[in-house]
Amino acid sequence: MEVNVFQGIIHFINNFRGLSRDCMLEMKRIYPDIPENTLGSILCTKYQKKMMANHGKVKQKKQIVVKRYKEGLAAGEEPGLIIRIAKFYDVAPALMAKVILEECLEKKNDKDQNGHSKNAIKEMLKDTTLIPDPDLAYEVFMSIVFDNMYGSIADVTKRSLGVEYEVKLYHHVQRVGLSYKSEEQLRARGYDKTPDIRLDVPCAVDGFVINWIESKAVFGDNVTHDQYAHDQYYCYWNRFGPGLVIYWFGYLETVPQPSEKRFIVRDSFPENITLMDPSLIQVPTLDIC
């Protein structure tokens, strides 16, 4: 992706007020030629940073927020009250639900001394039937289901997407006949830093010899790529030699560095693969006197 296009997307996300779902719909309209998964990945990364700032501001106004929630409940507003409050304050619904849940339970605890630990609140967000107030339980449930960026359902969706593309990678590797060890097999052998695939026999991609392949179901911008490189790729290179990184949802044009010799970057499984031919390997003979 070109830098100016990426910067335009970031500018739009940073200036958009409202829910992430609405932001995504507008992005799809403005950038119809960019795949939905690519836009979604960029939105997810930038939206999380945006929410870190907005969530802190809302926590400072939590009493006002809860008052607005209780007034809406008393007035008989239709379900989705927390979602509408979240949209007004430009905060993810799941985060707003957590703020309101914590504050409501804290107020109740002042009266009956029936304390709720952070772990208990965490469990309530996973299983809203544990919330004693039925109206609040329903509102929190709706917020978590509606939120496509935060909350337990969003977390499961993201993990499932990662697994889906790892399986896709395995199918490609098996299709071209490469012998390999999976991350699970490597960990069973005691490796702590493991790529998704460690090739038993190196191969070459566009003339670059690789020993491992890492699958990333994300868009690779410079910040994301640098973080992955520091935390993972350099460790793989140190243990296994050079490798291949696949950003399935694309990457910024400035991410691949011509001087980088430790790994190469692609946005799909490469087709130009050269396999090693053992018959061409010459084994030196020793003259025995």
Side-chain angles (χ1 to χ4, degrees):
M1 180 181 290
E2 295 178 355
V3 173
N4 63 327
V5 176
F6 178 73
Q7 290 177 340
I9 295 173
I10 298 304
H11 179 76
F12 178 82
I13 294 172
N14 289 338
N15 288 277
F16 185 88
R17 283 191 59 84
L19 303 174
S20 59
R21 286 179 178 271
D22 297 333
C23 183
M24 185 64 188
L25 289 174
E26 277 297 298
M27 288 169 61
K28 288 167 63 177
R29 183 185 63 81
I30 297 172
Y31 302 97
D33 297 331
I34 299 179
E36 183 176 343
N37 280 336
T38 299
L39 292 174
S41 180
I42 297 173
L43 174 60
C44 182
T45 301
K46 301 307 171 184
Y47 191 75
Q48 287 177 350
K49 293 182 180 179
K50 184 179 178 181
M51 287 304 101
M52 289 177 65
N54 290 4
H55 183 221
K57 294 176 183 178
V58 168
K59 290 193 73 172
Q60 295 174 356
K61 302 176 181 178
K62 59 184 180 181
Q63 294 179 348
I64 299 176
V65 169
V66 171
K67 181 181 178 182
R68 165 70 181 90
Y69 164 74
K70 290 183 176 180
E71 288 176 348
L73 207 62
E77 289 190 25
E78 63 181 30
L81 178 58
I82 291 181
I83 296 174
R84 293 191 292 276
I85 295 174
K87 183 176 183 178
F88 177 81
Y89 283 98
D90 195 21
V91 171
L95 293 179
M96 180 61 75
K98 183 180 179 182
V99 170
I100 293 176
L101 176 62
E102 290 175 339
E103 183 67 8
C104 287
L105 291 179
E106 181 180 332
K107 292 298 182 183
K108 181 180 178 181
N109 295 343
D110 291 340
K111 296 179 181 179
D112 61 16
Q113 302 299 316
N114 183 22
H116 293 87
S117 66
K118 290 184 178 180
N119 287 335
I121 292 176
K122 187 176 180 180
E123 289 302 314
M124 290 179 187
L125 291 171
K126 290 181 180 180
D127 181 2
T128 55
T129 62
L130 299 175
I131 300 175
D133 183 339
D135 292 324
L136 180 58
Y138 185 58
E139 283 290 333
V140 171
F141 173 76
M142 287 188 65
S143 300
I144 293 173
V145 171
F146 189 84
D147 199 326
N148 63 341
M149 290 292 168
Y150 281 89
S152 55
I153 295 178
D155 290 342
V156 170
T157 302
K158 293 173 188 175
R159 286 197 296 270
S160 298
L161 192 63
V163 172
E164 176 186 343
Y165 278 86
E166 285 180 13
V167 172
K168 182 177 181 179
L169 174 61
Y170 295 147
H171 287 168
H172 278 298
V173 170
Q174 292 166 5
R175 174 177 58 83
V176 298
L178 296 176
S179 176
Y180 68 94
K181 297 291 187 300
S182 67
E183 180 180 8
E184 197 173 296
Q185 291 171 315
L186 291 172
R187 288 193 180 279
R189 296 188 177 193
Y191 289 96
D192 56 340
K193 293 284 187 177
T194 58
D196 292 313
I197 281 180
R198 166 71 161 94
L199 298 176
D200 293 330
V201 179
C203 68
V205 174
D206 297 322
F208 187 91
V209 177
I210 64 169
N211 296 276
W212 51 269
I213 307 175
E214 180 72 3
S215 168
K216 295 296 183 189
V218 299
F219 176 83
D221 59 40
N222 289 110
V223 175
T224 300
H225 176 71
D226 289 345
Q227 189 64 52
Y228 278 135
H230 180 269
D231 295 342
Q232 298 179 343
Y233 308 155
Y234 296 155
C235 297
Y236 302 161
W237 171 79
N238 187 51
R239 287 166 171 78
F240 308 117
L244 164 67
V245 176
I246 301 178
Y247 289 115
W248 294 104
F249 302 155
Y251 53 84
L252 200 58
E253 62 181 358
T254 54
V255 164
Q257 297 293 324
S259 60
E260 181 59 72
K261 303 301 181 184
R262 289 166 288 194
F263 52 82
I264 55 175
V265 178
R266 296 290 187 271
D267 60 4
S268 61
F269 189 82
E271 296 300 329
N272 188 18
I273 295 177
T274 304
L275 304 179
M276 180 182 292
D277 187 349
S279 66
L280 299 179
I281 299 177
Q282 295 183 351
V283 180
T285 57
L286 297 178
D287 293 331
I288 301 177
C289 299

